[in-house]
Amino acid sequence: TQLLEQSPQFLSIQEGENLTVYCNSSSVFSSLQWYRQEPGEGPVLLVTVVTGGEVKKLKRLTFQFGDARKDSSLHITAAQPGDTGLYLCAGAGTGFQKLVFGTGTRLLVSP
Amino acid sequence: EAGVTQSPTHLIKTRGQQATLRCSPISGHTSVYWYQQALGLGLQFLLWYDEGEERNRGNFPPRFSGRQFPNYSSELNVNALELEDSALYLCASSLFHSGANVLTFGAGSRLTVL
């Protein structure tokens, strides 16, 4: 069974701080995705990384896929209250058809 | 373009009853996935339907079942409800994109079992 562990589970910071969320597994994934979920909504895709070592930037968010394609990180620079939400990583195995979701990181950014 | 729609938004049932949840995928998407999200944390994979067939199933008991209709909409049925079935049930549809399956989620159906 493929498992994805995220850390930290909860994070409460002040506006302007930087933070990093980690997503780790003992399994290799063909691709990894990051989603953000806000209260009352379903998860929304932020990014997909496919190549080991790949780094993608989305404004103040930087995503990295580990060289061995077993782990990933999300770094947010100068966090803002609008970044508040549940961040979920999701890994796709061979065949792509089923995503395995991580345990989630709940982020609260206070003004 | 309409997104993934789910109904009902909220559903309250008692132990032993049955619940039926519905999902309409994005137009053109043939795959529908069901996930259970308890306590606002990670998602647990329930079922995957594609072209009317069940393609994969998560580690859930048989009282969780579903189907996909010819118009690709889907239904999730939960029989003999138990208290621990209380959760947000998320439906997603997919379009294979850039070598990775991209899911678009609905807002979910919150099931409360009393």
Side-chain angles (χ1 to χ4, degrees), chain B residues 1-104:
Chain B
E1 177 184 84
V4 177
T5 58
Q6 292 187 243
S7 64
T9 305
H10 294 88
L11 188 60
I12 299 175
K13 294 284 187 178
T14 56
R15 288 174 57 187
Q17 286 189 312
Q18 181 204 32
T20 298
L21 309 176
R22 296 177 179 85
C23 172
S24 293
I26 289 175
S27 178
H29 287 190
T30 62
S31 278
V32 170
Y33 300 78
W34 287 95
Y35 283 85
Q36 182 194 66
Q37 185 177 33
L39 302 175
L41 293 175
L43 280 64
Q44 299 298 318
F45 169 72
L46 266 166
L47 290 159
W48 167 40
Y49 292 96
D50 184 66
E51 297 285 357
E53 300 287 332
E54 182 180 302
R55 302 296 184 182
N56 206 341
R57 181 181 180 86
N59 188 25
F60 281 83
R63 57 191 187 82
F64 287 83
S65 65
R67 53 180 171 167
Q68 186 178 33
F69 300 99
N71 65 353
Y72 303 117
S73 67
S74 178
E75 195 173 86
L76 174 69
N77 296 294
V78 188
N79 294 319
L81 285 166
E82 299 179 2
L83 295 178
E84 53 265 34
D85 296 334
S86 294
L88 181 67
Y89 289 84
L90 291 161
C91 170
S93 68
S94 75
L95 176 67
F96 198 86
H97 173 74
S98 299
N101 212 12
V102 177
L103 301 186
T104 302

Side-chain angles (χ1 to χ4, degrees), chain A residues 40-109:
Chain A
E41 303 290 335
V44 175
L45 179 68
L46 295 174
V47 77
T48 301
V49 285
V50 180
T51 306
E54 182 177 2
V55 177
K56 279 192 174 179
K57 292 191 174 184
L58 184 66
K59 297 183 180 178
R60 294 175 294 100
L61 279 60
T62 301
F63 305 86
Q64 184 164 9
F65 200 11
D67 292 340
R69 291 186 288 134
K70 293 183 179 181
D71 54 84
S72 181
S73 64
L74 158 60
H75 182 79
I76 301 179
T77 303
Q80 298 178 1
D83 296 327
T84 293
L86 178 68
Y87 288 81
L88 296 158
C89 63
T94 57
F96 304 113
Q97 278 81 7
K98 187 182 82 173
L99 287 180
V100 175
F101 278 82
T103 49
T105 295
R106 188 166 296 281
L107 172 64
L108 173 63
V109 183

